[in-house]
Amino acid sequence: YSYSTNDLAGYGHLAYTFYPDGPVFQHIQFGFVGARYAQTNNPFYMNFNKIAPELAIEFKKKKSTGHFTNTLKYRNITIIQDIDRQKFENNGVTHSRVSTTSNFNDLTYTLAKRDAITPYSISINMQQGENMCKAGLTAKYSYHFRKKNKGVDLRFFAGTFIGTNLTDGGPYRFRLSGQRGYQDYLYDHVYLGRTETNGLLANQFTETDGGFKFYSPVGQSAKGLVALNIKSSLGNMKLPVNLYADLGTVADDGILKQKVLYNAGVSVSIAKDVFEIFFPLLLSDDFNTYKKTNKLEYIETVRFTLNLKLMNPFDLLRNFT
């Protein structure tokens, strides 16, 4: 119960897993996710509700001791959210809270190799919403050094819209700079300041889409995007300091020309993939122009990730076993 909004808030995930006989399925899981939170938005709080039944299938391995896993996951996601509807009158502006509903289908196939030295995964994702369809491929490869959480991580992403015009694809654009809270239209992630556009909380992001660590509206596309992300620890040193570099390009959507953009810098990894802070040192000309035009101080370009979803104890236990 939130005393600020005088309303209920929370998250729940209910799932049932069974293990059918036969050579095809390792297990099948039926699940349901429900969430309800409020977003600060003047002149009043706005609620969003998420309802998402899901089906997850893991296919049986050829050998029980095999390192490869094949999984297929389908979600039907309904988002019910409040918006501020403004009405302009002679005596000023009146505000009213209006509820809107949107629905999405999300399908992901993942091939993964669990290995102590060189794990990798390839995921293909399809999303469909009203007048929108998009596809994305994410490939990850890691080479682990001797010490825990030390090594080199590579990530490749390519995404494109399918039969979607620029207007319909606009709200769901691919972004080189990943997603801020207000850009997370599926409400899949947890943000400390979901609606923030300035200040510390606005600098939390998720390494989705292009996964660039420097934020800029440059590099958004309602057509397609390709990006490569590299992270590396400093050998087996105990310091939680890494180097990173991102390289990517977006398709010309009539607003931006097709360009190759990049950024690089140093990151502090408090907990790998959970809490990391990124300090940019090298920016492409387009990013530097954006920084100078908006008179950004260096501290305003420092961003961080906080992936609380990865701290789910049930998922940690399942992946460990």
Side-chain angles (χ1 to χ4, degrees):
Y1 182 81
S2 170
Y3 290 96
S4 297
T5 63
N6 293 320
D7 204 349
L8 295 175
Y11 170 91
H13 182 201
L14 180 67
Y16 173 75
T17 305
F18 68 97
Y19 299 82
D21 295 330
V24 179
F25 303 112
Q26 178 69 22
H27 70 254
I28 299 175
Q29 182 183 87
F30 296 97
F32 179 87
V33 170
R36 175 180 173 83
Y37 290 104
Q39 308 174 90
T40 301
N41 194 343
N42 290 327
F44 32 62
Y45 285 99
M46 306 285 190
N47 287 321
F48 74 84
N49 302 273
K50 178 176 180 177
I51 303 171
E54 58 187 27
L55 169 66
I57 299 172
E58 180 176 332
F59 297 96
K60 188 156 289 186
K61 302 175 183 178
K62 291 183 179 180
K63 296 182 180 180
S64 59
T65 57
H67 295 291
F68 292 93
T69 59
N70 290 271
T71 58
L72 185 68
K73 185 174 183 178
Y74 167 74
R75 301 185 296 162
N76 180 266
I77 305 166
T78 298
I79 305 296
I80 305 170
Q81 59 182 338
D82 294 335
I83 62 172
D84 175 21
R85 177 163 291 173
Q86 301 179 4
K87 184 177 181 181
F88 296 90
E89 299 175 334
N90 293 332
N91 57 349
V93 182
T94 59
H95 299 266
S96 61
R97 184 186 288 110
V98 178
S99 179
T100 64
T101 301
S102 54
N103 184 267
F104 304 90
N105 292 297
D106 183 272
L107 181 68
T108 303
Y109 168 77
T110 302
L111 169 66
K113 177 190 176 186
R114 299 180 65 179
D115 184 88
I117 305 298
T118 57
Y120 66 82
S121 66
I122 301 174
S123 296
I124 300 174
N125 174 260
M126 295 283 294
Q127 289 182 14
Q128 179 270 329
E130 185 178 2
N131 301 322
M132 180 275 288
C133 185
K134 61 193 295 190
L137 181 147
T138 304
K140 297 180 179 180
Y141 172 85
S142 297
Y143 181 82
H144 293 162
F145 300 152
R146 286 176 298 172
K147 290 188 177 180
K148 184 179 179 181
N149 292 333
K150 301 298 181 181
V152 178
D153 299 312
L154 302 177
R155 175 184 179 271
F156 172 81
F157 176 83
T160 184
F161 281 87
I162 302 171
T164 305
N165 62 43
L166 297 182
T167 300
D168 292 332
Y172 313 107
R173 289 186 296 268
F174 292 109
R175 295 175 169 87
L176 281 180
S177 297
Q179 287 181 319
R180 284 179 161 185
Y182 65 90
Q183 297 166 338
D184 178 26
Y185 56 89
L186 294 182
Y187 291 84
D188 276 341
H189 305 281
V190 179
Y191 293 89
L192 299 179
R194 178 172 288 276
T195 59
E196 300 293 329
T197 57
N198 296 289
L200 174 64
L201 297 185
N203 285 341
Q204 180 187 354
F205 76 108
T206 54
E207 296 178 77
T208 50
D209 290 356
F212 274 44
K213 314 310 178 288
F214 179 80
Y215 172 76
S216 170
V218 177
Q220 302 185 42
S221 176
K223 285 189 176 180
L225 178 152
V226 177
L228 175 66
N229 314 117
I230 304 171
K231 293 182 186 177
S232 177
S233 63
L234 302 178
N236 283 307
M237 295 176 61
K238 293 183 178 180
L239 293 174
V241 177
N242 299 327
L243 301 177
Y244 73 84
D246 305 311
L247 181 71
T249 183
V250 296
D252 181 10
D253 59 5
I255 300 175
L256 297 173
K257 294 181 179 179
Q258 187 170 352
K259 299 179 180 179
V260 176
L261 305 175
Y262 59 85
N263 69 171
V266 174
S267 66
V268 176
S269 180
I270 309 301
K272 185 179 179 182
D273 296 328
V274 177
F275 183 30
E276 297 179 283
I277 307 171
F278 300 92
F279 300 87
L281 298 178
L282 180 65
L283 302 174
S284 61
D285 292 341
D286 301 275
F287 291 153
N288 272 317
T289 299
Y290 169 79
K291 179 182 175 183
K292 292 178 181 178
T293 301
N294 291 274
K295 299 179 180 180
L296 298 179
E297 299 292 336
Y298 181 78
I299 192 63
E300 297 178 273
T301 67
V302 176
R303 304 176 81 198
F304 68 95
T305 56
L306 182 60
N307 296 320
L308 296 177
K309 285 181 60 178
L310 297 181
M311 301 304 293
N312 186 324
F314 298 102
D315 288 339
L316 292 175
L317 180 62
R318 188 180 301 112
N319 292 331
F320 177 77
T321 56

